[in-house]
Coordinates of all heavy atoms in Angstrom, one line a residue:
P4 N -0.7 19.6 -0.8 CA -0.9 19.4 0.6 C 0.3 18.6 1.3 O 1.1 18.1 0.5 CB -2.2 18.4 0.4 CG -2.0 17.9 -0.9 CD -1.4 18.9 -1.7
D5 N 0.3 18.6 2.6 CA 1.3 17.9 3.3 C 1.4 16.5 3.1 O 2.3 15.8 3.0 CB 1.3 18.2 4.9 CG 1.8 19.5 5.1 OD1 2.6 20.1 4.3 OD2 1.6 20.0 6.2
R6 N 0.1 15.9 2.8 CA -0.1 14.5 2.6 C -1.2 14.2 1.8 O -2.1 15.1 1.7 CB 0.0 13.7 3.8 CG -1.2 14.0 4.8 CD -1.1 13.2 6.2 NE -1.6 11.8 6.0 CZ -0.8 10.8 6.5 NH1 0.2 11.1 7.3 NH2 -1.1 9.6 6.2
P7 N -1.4 13.1 1.1 CA -2.6 12.9 0.3 C -3.8 12.7 1.2 O -3.7 12.2 2.3 CB -2.3 11.5 -0.4 CG -0.9 11.0 0.2 CD -0.4 12.0 1.0
D8 N -5.0 13.0 0.7 CA -6.2 13.0 1.6 C -6.6 11.5 1.7 O -6.2 10.6 0.9 CB -7.3 13.9 1.1 CG -7.9 13.5 -0.3 OD1 -7.7 12.4 -0.6 OD2 -8.4 14.4 -0.9
R9 N -7.5 11.2 2.7 CA -7.9 9.9 3.0 C -8.5 9.3 1.8 O -8.4 8.1 1.5 CB -8.8 9.8 4.2 CG -8.0 10.1 5.5 CD -9.0 10.1 6.6 NE -8.3 10.5 7.9 CZ -7.9 9.7 8.8 NH1 -8.0 8.4 8.7 NH2 -7.4 10.3 9.9
A10 N -9.4 10.0 1.0 CA -10.1 9.5 -0.1 C -9.1 9.0 -1.1 O -9.4 8.0 -1.8 CB -11.1 10.6 -0.6
A11 N -8.0 9.7 -1.4 CA -7.0 9.3 -2.4 C -6.3 8.1 -2.0 O -6.2 7.1 -2.8 CB -6.0 10.4 -2.6
V12 N -6.0 7.9 -0.7 CA -5.4 6.7 -0.2 C -6.4 5.5 -0.3 O -5.9 4.4 -0.7 CB -4.9 7.0 1.2 CG1 -4.3 5.7 1.9 CG2 -3.8 8.0 1.2
A13 N -7.6 5.8 0.1 CA -8.5 4.7 0.1 C -8.8 4.1 -1.3 O -8.8 2.9 -1.6 CB -9.8 5.1 0.7
A14 N -8.8 5.1 -2.3 CA -8.9 4.8 -3.7 C -7.7 3.9 -4.2 O -7.9 2.9 -4.8 CB -9.2 5.8 -4.6
T15 N -6.6 4.3 -3.8 CA -5.3 3.6 -4.2 C -5.4 2.2 -3.6 O -5.0 1.3 -4.4 CB -4.1 4.5 -3.6 OG1 -4.1 5.7 -4.3 CG2 -2.8 3.7 -3.8
F16 N -5.7 2.0 -2.5 CA -5.8 0.7 -1.9 C -6.9 -0.2 -2.3 O -6.8 -1.4 -2.3 CB -5.6 0.7 -0.3 CG -4.2 0.9 0.1 CD1 -3.7 2.2 0.4 CD2 -3.3 -0.2 0.1 CE1 -2.5 2.3 0.7 CE2 -2.0 0.0 0.4 CZ -1.5 1.2 0.8
R17 N -8.0 0.4 -2.8 CA -9.0 -0.3 -3.5 C -8.4 -1.0 -4.8 O -8.6 -2.2 -5.1 CB -10.3 0.4 -3.8 CG -11.2 0.6 -2.7 CD -12.5 1.1 -3.1 NE -12.5 2.5 -3.6 CZ -12.4 3.6 -3.0 NH1 -12.6 3.6 -1.7 NH2 -12.4 4.7 -3.5
D18 N -7.6 -0.2 -5.5 CA -7.0 -0.7 -6.7 C -5.9 -1.8 -6.4 O -5.9 -2.8 -7.0 CB -6.2 0.5 -7.4 CG -7.3 1.4 -8.1 OD1 -8.5 1.1 -8.2 OD2 -6.7 2.5 -8.4
V19 N -5.2 -1.6 -5.3 CA -4.3 -2.6 -4.8 C -5.0 -3.9 -4.4 O -4.6 -4.9 -4.8 CB -3.4 -2.1 -3.6 CG1 -2.6 -3.3 -2.9 CG2 -2.5 -0.9 -4.1
N20 N -6.1 -3.7 -3.8 CA -6.9 -4.9 -3.3 C -7.2 -5.8 -4.6 O -7.1 -7.0 -4.5 CB -8.2 -4.4 -2.7 CG -8.6 -5.4 -1.6 OD1 -7.8 -6.2 -1.1 ND2 -9.9 -5.3 -1.3
A21 N -7.7 -5.1 -5.6 CA -8.1 -5.9 -6.9 C -6.8 -6.6 -7.4 O -6.9 -7.8 -7.7 CB -8.7 -4.9 -7.9
A22 N -5.7 -6.0 -7.5 CA -4.5 -6.6 -8.0 C -4.0 -7.7 -7.1 O -3.4 -8.7 -7.6 CB -3.3 -5.5 -8.3
A23 N -4.0 -7.5 -5.8 CA -3.5 -8.4 -4.8 C -4.3 -9.8 -4.8 O -3.8 -10.8 -4.4 CB -3.6 -7.9 -3.3
R24 N -5.5 -9.7 -5.3 CA -6.4 -10.9 -5.3 C -5.8 -12.0 -6.2 O -5.8 -13.2 -6.0 CB -7.7 -10.7 -5.7 CG -8.6 -10.1 -4.7 CD -10.1 -9.9 -5.0 NE -10.8 -9.3 -3.9 CZ -11.2 -8.1 -4.0 NH1 -11.0 -7.4 -5.1 NH2 -11.9 -7.5 -3.0
A25 N -5.0 -11.5 -7.2 CA -4.3 -12.5 -8.1 C -3.2 -13.2 -7.5 O -2.7 -14.2 -8.0 CB -3.8 -11.6 -9.3
C26 N -2.8 -12.8 -6.2 CA -1.6 -13.5 -5.5 C -2.1 -14.8 -4.9 O -1.3 -15.6 -4.3 CB -1.0 -12.6 -4.6 SG -0.3 -11.1 -5.3
G27 N -3.4 -15.0 -4.7 CA -3.9 -16.3 -4.2 C -4.1 -16.2 -2.7 O -4.4 -17.2 -2.2
A28 N -4.0 -15.0 -2.0 CA -4.2 -15.0 -0.6 C -5.8 -14.8 -0.4 O -6.5 -14.3 -1.2 CB -3.5 -13.9 0.1
S29 N -6.2 -15.1 0.8 CA -7.6 -14.8 1.1 C -7.6 -14.4 2.6 O -6.7 -14.5 3.4 CB -8.4 -16.0 0.9 OG -8.1 -17.1 1.8
G30 N -8.7 -13.6 2.9 CA -8.9 -13.1 4.3 C -8.4 -11.7 4.3 O -8.1 -11.0 3.4
R31 N -8.1 -11.3 5.6 CA -7.6 -9.9 5.8 C -6.0 -10.0 6.0 O -5.4 -10.7 6.7 CB -8.2 -9.3 7.0 CG -7.7 -7.9 7.3 CD -8.5 -7.2 8.4 NE -9.6 -6.7 7.7 CZ -10.4 -5.7 8.2 NH1 -10.2 -5.3 9.4 NH2 -11.4 -5.3 7.5
V32 N -5.4 -9.1 5.2 CA -3.8 -9.1 5.1 C -3.5 -7.6 5.4 O -4.1 -6.7 4.9 CB -3.3 -9.6 3.8 CG1 -1.9 -9.4 3.8 CG2 -3.7 -11.0 3.5
F33 N -2.5 -7.4 6.3 CA -2.1 -6.0 6.6 C -0.8 -5.7 5.9 O 0.1 -6.6 5.9 CB -1.9 -5.9 8.1 CG -3.2 -6.0 8.9 CD1 -3.7 -7.0 9.3 CD2 -4.0 -4.7 9.1 CE1 -5.0 -7.1 10.0 CE2 -5.1 -4.7 9.7 CZ -5.7 -5.8 10.2
V34 N -0.8 -4.6 5.3 CA 0.4 -4.2 4.6 C 0.8 -2.8 4.9 O 0.1 -2.0 5.5 CB 0.1 -4.1 2.9 CG1 -0.2 -5.6 2.4 CG2 -1.0 -3.2 2.6
N35 N 2.0 -2.5 4.7 CA 2.6 -1.2 4.9 C 3.3 -0.7 3.6 O 3.8 -1.5 2.8 CB 3.7 -1.2 6.0 CG 3.3 -1.7 7.3 OD1 2.3 -1.3 7.8 ND2 3.9 -2.8 7.8
A36 N 3.0 0.6 3.5 CA 3.7 1.3 2.2 C 4.2 2.5 2.6 O 3.6 3.4 3.3 CB 2.7 1.4 1.1
D37 N 5.5 2.9 2.2 CA 6.2 4.1 2.4 C 6.0 4.9 1.0 O 6.6 4.3 0.1 CB 7.6 4.0 2.8 CG 7.8 3.5 4.2 OD1 6.7 3.2 4.9 OD2 8.9 3.2 4.7
F38 N 5.4 6.0 1.0 CA 5.2 6.7 -0.2 C 6.2 7.9 -0.2 O 6.3 8.6 0.8 CB 3.8 7.3 -0.3 CG 2.7 6.2 -0.6 CD1 2.1 5.6 0.4 CD2 2.4 6.0 -2.0 CE1 1.1 4.7 0.1 CE2 1.4 5.1 -2.2 CZ 0.8 4.3 -1.2
A39 N 6.8 8.2 -1.3 CA 7.6 9.4 -1.5 C 6.8 10.5 -2.0 O 5.6 10.4 -2.3 CB 8.6 9.1 -2.7
G40 N 7.3 11.8 -1.8 CA 6.5 13.0 -2.1 C 5.9 12.9 -3.6 O 4.9 13.7 -3.7
D41 N 6.6 12.3 -4.4 CA 6.0 12.3 -5.7 C 4.9 11.4 -5.9 O 4.3 11.2 -7.0 CB 7.1 12.1 -6.8 CG 7.7 10.7 -6.8 OD1 7.3 9.9 -5.9 OD2 8.6 10.5 -7.6
G42 N 4.6 10.6 -4.9 CA 3.3 9.7 -4.9 C 3.7 8.2 -5.1 O 2.7 7.4 -5.0
H43 N 4.9 7.8 -5.4 CA 5.2 6.4 -5.7 C 5.6 5.7 -4.3 O 6.0 6.3 -3.4 CB 6.2 6.2 -6.8 CG 7.6 6.4 -6.4 ND1 8.3 7.7 -6.2 CD2 8.6 5.5 -5.9 CE1 9.4 7.6 -5.8 NE2 9.7 6.2 -5.6
V44 N 5.5 4.4 -4.3 CA 5.8 3.5 -3.2 C 7.4 3.4 -3.3 O 8.0 2.9 -4.2 CB 5.1 2.3 -3.1 CG1 5.6 1.4 -2.0 CG2 3.6 2.5 -3.1
I45 N 8.0 3.7 -2.1 CA 9.5 3.3 -1.9 C 9.6 1.9 -1.4 O 10.5 1.2 -1.9 CB 10.1 4.3 -0.9 CG1 9.8 5.8 -1.4 CG2 11.6 4.1 -0.8 CD1 10.1 6.8 -0.3
V46 N 8.9 1.5 -0.4 CA 9.1 0.3 0.3 C 7.7 -0.2 0.6 O 6.8 0.6 1.1 CB 9.8 0.5 1.6 CG1 9.9 -1.0 2.3 CG2 11.3 0.9 1.3
A47 N 7.5 -1.5 0.4 CA 6.2 -2.2 0.7 C 6.5 -3.4 1.4 O 7.4 -4.1 1.2 CB 5.3 -2.5 -0.5
S48 N 5.6 -3.7 2.5 CA 5.8 -4.9 3.2 C 4.5 -5.5 3.6 O 3.5 -4.8 3.6 CB 6.8 -4.8 4.5 OG 6.1 -3.9 5.3
V49 N 4.5 -6.9 4.1 CA 3.3 -7.5 4.4 C 3.5 -7.9 5.9 O 4.6 -8.4 6.2 CB 3.0 -8.8 3.5 CG1 1.9 -9.6 4.0 CG2 2.8 -8.4 2.1
E50 N 2.5 -7.9 6.7 CA 2.7 -8.3 8.1 C 2.1 -9.6 8.3 O 1.2 -10.1 7.5 CB 1.9 -7.3 9.0 CG 2.6 -5.9 9.0 CD 1.8 -4.9 9.9 OE1 0.9 -5.3 10.7 OE2 2.0 -3.7 9.8
G51 N 2.4 -10.3 9.3 CA 1.8 -11.6 9.8 C 2.3 -12.7 9.1 O 3.6 -12.8 8.5
P52 N 1.6 -13.9 9.0 CA 2.1 -15.2 8.6 C 2.5 -15.1 7.1 O 3.3 -16.0 6.6 CB 0.9 -16.1 8.9 CG -0.3 -15.3 9.1 CD 0.1 -13.9 9.5
L53 N 2.0 -14.1 6.3 CA 2.5 -14.2 4.9 C 3.7 -13.5 4.6 O 4.3 -13.5 3.5 CB 1.4 -13.5 4.0 CG 0.1 -14.3 3.9 CD1 -1.0 -13.6 3.1 CD2 0.3 -15.8 3.3
A54 N 4.3 -12.8 5.7 CA 5.5 -12.1 5.5 C 6.7 -13.0 5.1 O 6.8 -14.1 5.8 CB 5.8 -11.2 6.8
G55 N 7.4 -12.6 4.2 CA 8.5 -13.5 3.8 C 8.3 -14.7 2.9 O 9.1 -15.5 2.6
T56 N 7.0 -14.9 2.5 CA 6.5 -16.0 1.7 C 6.3 -15.6 0.2 O 6.3 -14.4 0.0 CB 5.1 -16.6 2.2 OG1 4.1 -15.6 1.9 CG2 5.2 -17.0 3.7
P57 N 6.3 -16.5 -0.7 CA 6.1 -16.0 -2.1 C 4.8 -15.3 -2.3 O 4.7 -14.3 -3.0 CB 6.0 -17.4 -2.8 CG 6.9 -18.3 -2.0 CD 6.7 -17.9 -0.6
T58 N 3.7 -15.7 -1.5 CA 2.5 -15.0 -1.6 C 2.7 -13.6 -1.1 O 2.2 -12.6 -1.6 CB 1.4 -15.8 -0.8 OG1 1.2 -17.0 -1.4 CG2 0.0 -15.0 -0.9
G59 N 3.3 -13.4 0.1 CA 3.6 -12.2 0.7 C 4.4 -11.2 -0.2 O 4.1 -10.0 -0.3
E60 N 5.4 -11.9 -0.9 CA 6.2 -11.0 -1.9 C 5.3 -10.6 -3.1 O 5.5 -9.5 -3.6 CB 7.4 -11.9 -2.4 CG 8.5 -12.0 -1.3 CD 8.9 -10.8 -0.7 OE1 9.2 -9.8 -1.5 OE2 8.9 -10.6 0.5
C61 N 4.4 -11.4 -3.5 CA 3.4 -11.1 -4.6 C 2.6 -9.9 -4.1 O 2.3 -9.0 -4.9 CB 2.6 -12.3 -4.9 SG 1.4 -12.0 -6.2
L62 N 2.1 -9.9 -2.9 CA 1.3 -8.9 -2.3 C 2.1 -7.6 -2.3 O 1.6 -6.5 -2.6 CB 0.7 -9.2 -1.0 CG -0.4 -10.4 -1.0 CD1 -0.6 -10.9 0.5 CD2 -1.6 -9.9 -1.6
A63 N 3.4 -7.6 -1.8 CA 4.2 -6.5 -1.7 C 4.5 -5.9 -3.1 O 4.5 -4.6 -3.2 CB 5.5 -6.8 -1.0
R64 N 4.6 -6.8 -4.1 CA 4.7 -6.2 -5.5 C 3.5 -5.5 -5.9 O 3.5 -4.5 -6.6 CB 5.0 -7.3 -6.5 CG 6.5 -7.7 -6.5 CD 6.8 -8.6 -7.7 NE 6.0 -9.9 -7.8 CZ 6.2 -11.0 -7.0 NH1 7.3 -11.1 -6.3 NH2 5.5 -12.0 -7.2
A65 N 2.3 -6.0 -5.6 CA 1.1 -5.3 -5.9 C 1.1 -3.9 -5.2 O 0.6 -2.9 -5.8 CB -0.1 -6.0 -5.5
V66 N 1.4 -3.9 -4.0 CA 1.4 -2.7 -3.2 C 2.4 -1.7 -3.8 O 2.1 -0.4 -3.9 CB 1.7 -2.8 -1.7 CG1 1.9 -1.5 -0.9 CG2 0.6 -3.6 -1.1
R67 N 3.6 -2.1 -4.3 CA 4.6 -1.2 -4.9 C 4.1 -0.5 -6.1 O 4.7 0.5 -6.5 CB 5.8 -2.0 -5.0 CG 6.7 -2.2 -3.8 CD 8.1 -2.7 -4.1 NE 8.1 -4.0 -4.6 CZ 8.3 -5.2 -3.8 NH1 8.2 -5.0 -2.4 NH2 8.2 -6.3 -4.3
Q68 N 3.0 -1.1 -6.7 CA 2.5 -0.4 -7.9 C 1.6 0.7 -7.6 O 1.2 1.4 -8.5 CB 1.8 -1.5 -8.7 CG 2.7 -2.6 -9.2 CD 3.9 -2.1 -10.0 OE1 3.8 -1.4 -10.9 NE2 5.1 -2.7 -9.5
A69 N 1.2 0.9 -6.3 CA 0.3 1.9 -5.9 C 0.8 3.4 -6.2 O 2.1 3.5 -6.1 CB -0.1 1.7 -4.5
R70 N 0.0 4.2 -6.5 CA 0.4 5.7 -6.6 C -0.6 6.5 -5.9 O -1.9 6.3 -6.0 CB 0.5 6.1 -8.1 CG 1.5 5.3 -8.9 CD 3.0 5.6 -8.4 NE 3.9 4.9 -9.3 CZ 4.4 3.8 -8.9 NH1 4.1 3.2 -7.8 NH2 5.4 3.3 -9.6
V71 N -0.2 7.6 -5.2 CA -1.1 8.6 -4.7 C -0.7 10.0 -5.3 O 0.4 10.1 -5.9 CB -1.1 8.6 -3.1 CG1 -1.5 7.5 -2.5 CG2 0.4 9.1 -2.7
P72 N -1.6 10.9 -5.3 CA -1.2 12.3 -5.7 C 0.0 12.8 -5.0 O 0.2 12.5 -3.8 CB -2.4 13.2 -5.4 CG -3.5 12.1 -5.3 CD -3.0 10.9 -4.8
P73 N 0.8 13.6 -5.6 CA 2.1 14.2 -5.0 C 1.6 15.0 -3.7 O 0.5 15.6 -3.7 CB 2.5 15.1 -6.1 CG 2.1 14.5 -7.3 CD 0.7 13.9 -7.1
F74 N 2.6 15.1 -2.8 CA 2.4 15.8 -1.6 C 3.7 16.4 -1.2 O 4.8 16.1 -1.7 CB 1.7 14.9 -0.5 CG 2.6 13.7 -0.3 CD1 3.6 13.6 0.7 CD2 2.4 12.6 -1.0 CE1 4.2 12.4 0.9 CE2 3.1 11.4 -0.8 CZ 4.1 11.3 0.2
R75 N 3.6 17.3 -0.2 CA 4.9 18.1 0.2 C 5.8 17.4 1.2 O 7.1 17.6 1.1 CB 4.5 19.4 0.9 CG 4.1 20.4 -0.2 CD 4.0 21.8 0.5 NE 2.8 21.9 1.4 CZ 1.7 22.4 1.1 NH1 1.4 22.8 -0.2 NH2 0.7 22.4 1.9
R76 N 5.4 16.5 2.0 CA 6.3 15.8 3.0 C 7.2 14.9 2.1 O 6.9 14.5 1.1 CB 5.4 14.9 3.9 CG 4.7 15.6 4.9 CD 4.1 14.7 5.7 NE 4.3 14.9 7.2 CZ 3.7 14.1 8.1 NH1 3.0 13.2 7.7 NH2 4.0 14.3 9.3
A77 N 8.4 14.7 2.7 CA 9.4 13.8 2.1 C 8.8 12.4 1.8 O 8.9 11.8 0.8 CB 10.7 13.8 2.9
T78 N 8.2 11.8 3.0 CA 7.6 10.5 2.8 C 6.5 10.4 3.8 O 6.4 11.1 4.8 CB 8.7 9.3 3.2 OG1 9.1 9.5 4.5 CG2 9.8 9.3 2.2
I79 N 5.5 9.4 3.6 CA 4.7 9.1 4.5 C 4.5 7.5 4.6 O 4.9 6.9 3.6 CB 3.2 9.6 4.4 CG1 2.6 9.3 3.0 CG2 3.2 11.2 4.5 CD1 1.2 9.4 2.8
R80 N 4.2 7.1 5.7 CA 4.0 5.5 5.8 C 2.4 5.3 6.0 O 1.8 5.9 6.9 CB 4.7 4.9 7.0 CG 4.3 3.4 7.2 CD 5.1 2.7 8.2 NE 6.2 2.3 7.3 CZ 7.1 1.4 7.7 NH1 7.0 0.7 8.9 NH2 8.0 1.0 6.9
V81 N 1.9 4.4 5.2 CA 0.5 4.0 5.4 C 0.4 2.5 5.7 O 1.0 1.7 5.1 CB -0.3 4.3 4.0 CG1 -1.7 3.9 4.0 CG2 -0.2 5.8 3.7
S82 N -0.3 2.2 6.7 CA -0.6 0.9 7.1 C -2.0 0.6 6.7 O -3.0 1.4 7.0 CB -0.5 0.5 8.6 OG 0.9 0.7 8.9
Q83 N -2.4 -0.5 6.0 CA -3.6 -0.7 5.4 C -4.1 -2.2 5.5 O -3.1 -3.0 5.3 CB -3.7 -0.3 4.0 CG -5.0 -0.4 3.4 CD -6.0 0.7 3.7 OE1 -5.6 1.8 4.2 NE2 -7.3 0.3 3.8
A84 N -5.3 -2.5 5.7 CA -5.7 -3.9 5.7 C -6.3 -4.1 4.3 O -7.0 -3.2 3.8 CB -6.9 -4.1 6.7
L85 N -5.9 -5.2 3.7 CA -6.6 -5.6 2.5 C -7.5 -6.7 2.8 O -7.1 -7.8 3.4 CB -5.4 -6.0 1.4 CG -4.4 -5.1 1.1 CD1 -3.4 -5.7 0.1 CD2 -5.0 -3.9 0.5
D86 N -8.7 -6.7 2.3 CA -9.7 -7.8 2.4 C -9.8 -8.6 1.2 O -10.3 -8.1 0.2 CB -11.0 -7.2 2.9 CG -11.0 -6.6 4.3 OD1 -10.5 -7.3 5.1 OD2 -11.6 -5.6 4.5
L87 N -9.2 -9.7 1.1 CA -9.1 -10.4 -0.1 C -10.0 -11.6 -0.1 O -10.5 -12.2 0.9 CB -7.6 -11.0 -0.2 CG -6.6 -10.0 -0.2 CD1 -5.1 -10.6 -0.1 CD2 -6.6 -9.1 -1.4

């Protein structure tokens, strides 16, 4: 497919959500992830007040561990809310 289906992305971020809880943040946090065609995260970032903080970096590390099934496009960007 040109991009992973919504169900695969949702499942990936459910897994990220569980890992991100260990970072100590609470509430809703918005993250961005750029996925390469092979399914791994190239770049991850956190938006809002946690951006650039140690907690935000912990969350970005959790997002960088995410994987989706391979797809044909070179890259895709996914913006997602994590409810911690």
Side-chain angles (χ1 to χ4, degrees):
D5 280 345
R6 61 181 292 133
D8 65 27
R9 290 180 189 260
V12 172
T15 295
F16 278 97
R17 276 193 299 275
D18 293 342
V19 168
N20 208 25
R24 284 190 182 105
C26 294
S29 62
R31 181 168 272 202
V32 178
F33 290 90
V34 297
N35 299 307
D37 292 354
F38 287 91
D41 67 359
H43 79 278
V44 175
I45 303 168
V46 176
S48 62
V49 176
E50 296 179 8
L53 293 177
T56 68
T58 301
E60 290 303 313
C61 180
L62 293 168
R64 279 192 303 276
V66 172
R67 282 192 290 273
Q68 300 306 309
R70 299 290 181 268
V71 296
F74 54 92
R75 283 193 290 264
R76 285 178 128 180
T78 62
I79 61 166
R80 172 168 277 198
V81 176
S82 296
Q83 182 75 29
L85 300 179
D86 292 313
L87 306 172

